Amino acid sequence: MDTPIGISDSLVFAPLPFDKAISENISQNHPMLKNAWLAAASLPGYIELNKLDSKPSFGVGLDYIMVNERTDAEPAHNGRTSCSCGERSKSL
């Protein structure tokens, strides 16, 4: 039962040739690498957008409505146009 078993290892790793053109082709055309490079290139835009988003925003609006005079009734201010102004700000 205590007899040693001899195993000879005959597997040899095959040398992989390194071709710089293939490496450059992979780095330029691999979809996952393209995705990573594009994501890294878009980071400055996200940082700038984040800076602008933290600033308060303010907007001014004007609504103008032309109203024709009604002939079937006589409401108050019949036929007067309407103008309203407003503001819009982002709440923090």
Side-chain angles (χ1 to χ4, degrees), residues 30-75:
H30 194 281
M32 292 299 288
L33 290 175
K34 279 185 178 181
N35 189 14
W37 285 115
L38 291 174
S42 68
L43 285 179
Y46 283 117
I47 292 170
E48 184 66 25
L49 182 62
N50 192 12
K51 286 180 186 176
L52 292 175
D53 197 32
S54 66
K55 294 182 179 180
S57 69
F58 179 77
V60 177
L62 174 69
D63 293 326
Y64 182 79
I65 302 170
M66 271 184 80
V67 179
N68 289 333
E69 191 171 334
R70 290 181 63 177
T71 58
D72 62 339
E74 289 295 327

